[in-house]
């Protein structure tokens, strides 16, 4: 290949030369589009670098929201700016429309369901980043919501602890349409929790019940006034009746000849394990001081 041919080759790949051409073929349009995508990405990277240097994010949530807004803004601005360039050659319009139509026909179902799912997520009955949801028997905290998928930080299956597994799980948005899901949001971020204590039949169950009830009311769990305020906030959109919201101890005689104390209380879902630990330690300490309370061991 001669030097003249190499020069012509590089001139043909020059983005300014392609941009000035009014009779671009399909291959030249694809090359030009690739140049424009690279240019948009570089502009975005430089802008975010300068923003972080000039005004660093206050926390990870602020940084995430800022980057998400910036990405959407760049996508919108460059998308509108590039439309006249891409469609400036009318001869390519049938080809582009034909390819677009073929793509839509192939993936129409999932694409439209993802779009419907996104609108449901963004609606009044949807969820937002930071909420905890359970869908298709998988529970996790929402860490990202996109137009076609959302991402959860998985929570372990054991309902007693609500601990993160540190695994990211991506769900297409159409899962919201096809599956039922459960939400724990900031508006109502507490759940009922309970655990059981088995006592021998010779134990002083009245004293044990009183000790457990006192422990549950010693600010180890969610304050009743906070529960009431959250219920009032949630009642603006939902008719909520929780009934009794204060902690309670249920005492029953089991068929095996043992006494069951069932402690039931409201707790913030992210403090579920911590409250269990605090209450357990208090109960063990108090029971140890008594000589007529015997925990049953199987």
């Amino acid at each position: 290949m001669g030097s003249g041919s190499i020069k012509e080759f590089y001139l043909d790949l020059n983005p300014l030369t392609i941009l000035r051409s009014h009779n671009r073929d399909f291959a030249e349009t694809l090359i030009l589009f690739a140049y424009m995508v690279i240019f948009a990405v570089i502009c975005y990277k430089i802008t975010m670098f300068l923003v972080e240097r000039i005004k660093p994010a206050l926390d990870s949530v602020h940084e995430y929201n800022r980057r998400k807004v910036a990405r959407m803004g760049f996508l919108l601005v460059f998308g509108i700016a590039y439309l006249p360039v891409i469609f400036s050659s009318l001869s390519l319009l049938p080809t582009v429309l034909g390819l677009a139509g073929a793509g839509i026909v192939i993936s129409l179902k999932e694409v439209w369901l993802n779009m419907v799912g996104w609108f449901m997520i963004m609606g009044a009955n949807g969820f937002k980043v930071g909420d905890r949801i359970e869908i298709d028997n998988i529970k996790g905290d929402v860490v990202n919501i996109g137009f076609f998928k959302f991402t959860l930080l998985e929570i372990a299956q054991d309902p007693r602890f609500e601990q993160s597994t540190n695994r990211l799980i991506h769900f297409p948005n159409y899962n919201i349409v096809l599956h039922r899901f459960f939400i724990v949001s900031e508006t109502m971020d507490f759940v009922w929790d309970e655990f059981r204590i088995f006592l021998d039949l010779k134990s002083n169950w009245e004293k044990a019940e009183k000790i457990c009830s006192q422990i549950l009311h010693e600010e180890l769990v969610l304050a009743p006034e906070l529960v009431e305020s959250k219920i009032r906030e949630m009642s603006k959109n939902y008719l909520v009746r929780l009934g009794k919201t204060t902690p309670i101890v249920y005492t029953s005689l089991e068929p095996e000849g043992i006494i069951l104390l069932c402690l039931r209380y409201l707790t913030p879902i992210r403090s579920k394990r911590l409250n269990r630990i605090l209450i357990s330690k208090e109960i063990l300490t108090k029971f140890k001081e008594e000589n007529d309370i015997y925990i049953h061991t199987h």
Side-chain angles (χ1 to χ4, degrees):
M1 182 182 292
S3 59
S5 300
I6 296 175
K7 183 177 181 181
E8 290 178 2
F9 175 76
Y10 282 110
L11 284 176
D12 290 339
L13 290 180
N14 190 316
L16 296 178
T17 303
I18 300 175
L19 186 61
R20 286 195 295 264
S21 175
H22 296 289
N23 297 313
R24 294 188 296 271
D25 57 22
F26 186 66
E28 289 176 330
T29 302
L30 286 180
I31 294 172
L32 179 61
F33 181 74
Y35 279 130
M36 292 190 297
V37 170
I38 295 172
F39 176 73
V41 171
I42 292 174
C43 288
Y44 168 76
K45 294 291 185 181
I46 293 175
T47 301
M48 295 310 301
F49 175 78
L50 293 176
V51 169
E52 290 297 329
R53 283 297 185 92
I54 297 172
K55 190 175 181 180
L58 300 177
D59 50 41
S60 58
V61 176
H62 183 220
E63 182 179 3
Y64 168 82
N65 290 329
R66 184 162 65 182
R67 286 184 175 274
K68 190 148 186 96
V69 171
R71 282 195 295 268
M72 294 297 292
F74 268 84
L75 184 62
L76 182 63
V77 171
F78 280 99
I80 295 175
Y82 288 171
L83 282 178
V85 177
I86 296 298
F87 293 103
S88 59
S89 179
L90 294 179
S91 62
L92 294 178
L93 189 57
T95 304
V96 174
L97 291 179
L99 292 175
I104 291 174
V105 169
I106 293 172
S107 58
L108 182 64
K109 180 181 178 181
E110 291 190 0
V111 169
W112 281 107
L113 282 177
N114 282 332
M115 294 173 63
V116 172
W118 183 82
F119 282 109
M120 290 179 63
I121 293 171
M122 294 299 164
N125 297 321
F127 50 83
K128 60 183 182 298
V129 173
D131 289 349
R132 179 164 294 183
I133 72 169
E134 180 178 351
I135 182 171
D136 198 19
N137 295 322
I138 296 176
K139 184 183 297 184
D141 293 325
V142 182
V143 294
N144 185 47
I145 299 175
F147 197 63
F148 295 105
K149 69 178 180 179
F150 62 93
T151 305
L152 301 183
L153 183 62
E154 186 188 31
I155 302 299
Q157 293 294 327
D158 193 332
R160 295 174 298 171
F161 305 131
E162 302 285 342
Q163 292 294 107
S164 171
T165 64
N166 208 31
R167 297 193 303 182
L168 293 176
I169 302 179
H170 302 283
F171 283 93
N173 288 343
Y174 65 73
N175 282 275
I176 300 301
V177 182
L178 301 179
H179 300 96
R180 62 179 181 178
F181 59 97
F182 308 90
I183 306 175
V184 178
S185 65
E186 292 181 0
T187 306
M188 185 72 84
D189 62 346
F190 51 85
V191 294
W192 283 106
D193 188 27
E194 61 180 51
F195 64 92
R196 301 177 177 184
I197 303 173
F198 296 95
L199 302 179
D200 287 340
L201 197 58
K202 58 184 178 180
S203 298
N204 187 340
W205 63 266
E206 295 99 333
K207 183 189 292 185
E209 182 185 67
K210 184 178 180 180
I211 291 173
C212 292
S213 182
Q214 288 176 345
I215 291 173
L216 290 181
H217 286 82
E218 289 178 353
E219 300 299 329
L220 291 176
V221 294
L222 201 64
E225 58 273 12
L226 181 58
V227 176
E228 295 297 331
S229 66
K230 287 181 175 289
I231 292 176
R232 285 195 299 271
E233 181 67 24
M234 197 171 185
S235 297
K236 296 176 181 179
N237 298 315
Y238 305 97
L239 180 60
V240 179
R241 293 191 181 98
L242 281 186
K244 186 179 179 66
T245 58
T246 53
I248 189 170
V249 179
Y250 294 102
T251 304
S252 62
L253 182 62
E254 297 299 294
E256 297 84 359
I258 55 178
I259 300 170
L260 170 63
L261 299 182
C262 185
L263 286 67
R264 179 174 169 84
Y265 54 92
L266 282 169
T267 175
I269 192 166
R270 290 176 174 80
S271 303
K272 190 174 180 179
R273 187 171 194 176
L274 176 61
N275 273 332
R276 272 178 169 262
I277 292 172
L278 293 174
I279 294 172
S280 298
K281 287 182 176 180
E282 284 293 315
I283 289 175
L284 290 172
T285 301
K286 295 293 184 182
F287 282 8
K288 188 176 181 180
E289 296 172 356
E290 307 296 332
N291 55 10
D292 54 353
I293 299 177
Y294 309 99
I295 297 178
H296 178 78
T297 56
H298 297 281

